[in-house]
Amino acid sequence: PAPPALRFLEDPSNVTSSPGRAVRLRCRVRGEPEPPEMGWWRDGRPLELADSDQAQVPLSDHVWLGTSQLSIPAVQLSDTGRYRCWARAGGEQL
């Protein structure tokens, strides 16, 4: 079988914070044959306007490293939830 087009290298685990503190969640993905598209969900819903930084770096002609970092500058109780990173490349989504 062909190797997977995507593989998580780093995915956020449990993060505990308190109101008013900053939080950064980061995930890293190895993708091929094109740069991975990445985003975030909270409680199963897309975070369309999330404050995130993303970068795609070529590791070779057809292998890419994608990094996405989600920032919450000052946590509020309304930010509580389950956050998940997603990635898409090569017709595969994780």
Side-chain angles (χ1 to χ4, degrees), residues 28-76:
R28 292 174 36 163
V29 173
R30 180 186 177 276
E32 53 185 87
E34 71 259 355
E37 180 183 350
M38 300 174 76
W40 291 89
W41 290 330
R42 183 176 80 195
D43 295 330
R45 292 191 172 96
L47 288 173
E48 299 294 339
L49 302 174
D51 183 11
S52 66
D53 295 320
Q54 297 189 20
Q56 287 83 17
V57 177
L59 299 177
S60 71
D61 287 344
H62 300 288
V63 179
W64 294 79
L65 174 66
T67 303
S68 181
Q69 182 169 282
L70 175 68
S71 298
I72 302 172
V75 171
Q76 305 297 314

Side-chain angles (χ1 to χ4, degrees), residues 3-15:
L6 286 171
R7 186 177 70 203
F8 277 105
L9 303 174
E10 181 180 350
D11 197 16
S13 57
N14 291 333
V15 175

